[in-house]
Amino acid sequence: MLSPLAHAGRASRHPRRMLLTALLALCLAPLPLAAQTTPDDMPAVDELPVEDVQTFAEVFERIKRAYVEDVDDRTLLRNAMRGMLGELDPHSAYLDREEFESLRESTQGEFGGVGIEVGMQDGQLTIIAPIDDTPASRAGLQSRDVILRIDDTPTESLSLQEAVTLMRGEPGSDITITILRRGEESPRRVTITREIIRTESVKHELLEEGFGYLRVSQFQSRTGEQVVEALGELAADVPLDGLVLDLRNNPGGVLQAAVDVADAFLEEGLIVYTEGRLPDTEMRFSAKRETAAPDVPLVVLINGGSASAAEIVAGALQDQRRAVVMGTESFGKGSVQQIMPLGNGEGLKLTTALYFTPEGRSIQAQGIEPDVDVVRGRLEVAEGQDIGVREADLEGHLRSREAPRERSEMSERLREDYQLAEALNLLKALNVVGQRTRRD
């Protein structure tokens, strides 16, 4: 026996009244007893408006009858569901099997593509951040670049998931992305060769003796563990006098990883909490006493490409007075998306809650404001700036009884990165103040 929907899919001489009947029956029928919930379990759901359901069915019928090309029922229903979710906010989406698998791959840290995180901003496909050491970052794509075309396809008609699918592909294949950068009048075309994107989310090095640099490019399932391991390696020979935690152009990722990273620097206190309509969307995450680096002076670098989980970490360390946040205002993505599998192997990505910092600040559309504003730039010594005469340059000067100090040359990373150089200077100042306070 055919269901009403299956019967409605057959050609008929009559208007698609069976589809209307089926939609009304499905939408207006009461929930089965097992699926019903009490008012304490979830908010009350308003009754669906009959007229709007009838209008939906009428639109469905007219498309089937009059559209220039034949469209099957499955495609129309999928498109309706995509539109229903896509109009909620830029991050909710209907995921088919391929998109569902693509999302799973990206959270595990390996996928084929160009290496950028994108989102919808003011109705435009916008780069949130390029991922470190990927074709996109090497091609010079930047946070807040607007993507106008992907190859020959205009992005204005694409959903976020459709755009992501177009940008992913076989390693070795080329893709041409047309972008518009802020401050520029004409678009630029960038051709990029796709690669297998294997992202290591944590990198570290010593900037100078005693001063470490920890870069987190995105938050994956093992990022928290990797941060703890990196901290141990940085402090293996000499205790750290200061650390720069670089979260610039970090598009976010796994919530628990963000909590673990913040917990590596906090001994107690709230890290983040969420608020939503359902009880299971209201969560609170606090620091545990076991902490990898509880006392190291800390500067956190952020910029307009720092989003979501990166903003959680920066906001927690800022509110807990654990770090000085430096750079420029962050992206402002403070919403929680749950991945909900469906029975047909597809799924939903649905915004269900908002993030709040320990002091109750909403990140959504607000972002994190740095304690110290420092724009990005390049540090250069002015010509002739260092040609003055010193005592040591005078002929016949008395020599010190101590061995001459070695002058440390500025590393290329610091010379190219003004924000990082300023973060290191601040750490040195904090270290000096700390030493004098301990002596006093």
Side-chain angles (χ1 to χ4, degrees), residues 3-34:
S3 68
L5 278 177
H7 185 273
R10 290 182 165 184
S12 172
R13 292 176 303 172
H14 305 286
R16 303 174 68 81
R17 300 185 186 278
M18 291 300 293
L19 177 61
L20 171 60
T21 303
L23 286 171
L24 286 172
L26 288 171
C27 295
L28 301 180
L31 289 170
L33 186 60

Side-chain angles (χ1 to χ4, degrees), residues 288-434:
K288 300 186 292 292
R289 184 163 296 278
E290 301 80 14
T291 302
D295 302 318
V296 178
L298 183 63
V299 171
V300 178
L301 286 177
I302 62 171
N303 65 1
S306 306
S308 191
E311 294 172 292
I312 289 173
V313 174
L317 297 176
Q318 187 180 54
D319 280 6
Q320 296 283 14
R321 311 300 188 269
R322 177 62 185 86
V324 177
V325 178
M326 179 181 281
T328 56
E329 187 177 352
S330 65
F331 185 79
K333 180 187 178 297
S335 57
V336 184
Q337 282 73 46
Q338 285 190 8
I339 307 303
M340 302 177 177
L342 301 175
N344 60 357
E346 301 178 348
L348 305 181
K349 184 171 71 167
L350 186 65
T351 299
T352 57
L354 297 176
Y355 293 121
F356 294 86
T357 70
E359 292 187 350
R361 294 182 294 158
S362 174
I363 296 171
Q364 179 60 27
Q366 300 292 327
I368 300 296
E369 292 188 8
D371 301 307
V372 181
D373 286 301
V374 180
V375 298
R376 188 154 192 170
R378 175 184 170 87
L379 191 62
E380 294 185 356
V381 178
E383 185 178 353
Q385 185 71 25
D386 196 31
I387 60 174
V389 178
R390 303 174 66 246
E391 170 71 16
D393 299 319
L394 297 177
E395 186 175 351
H397 69 271
L398 295 176
R399 298 186 180 278
S400 172
R401 295 178 181 179
E402 298 179 0
R405 293 193 303 266
E406 292 184 7
R407 296 186 186 180
S408 59
E409 293 293 330
M410 181 181 296
S411 71
E412 187 63 24
R413 179 187 290 277
L414 292 173
R415 191 180 299 277
E416 293 288 338
D417 192 337
Y418 178 67
Q419 289 174 322
L420 181 57
E422 287 298 289
L424 178 59
N425 287 336
L426 178 57
L427 283 174
K428 289 179 177 179
L430 293 173
N431 189 53
V432 170
V433 171

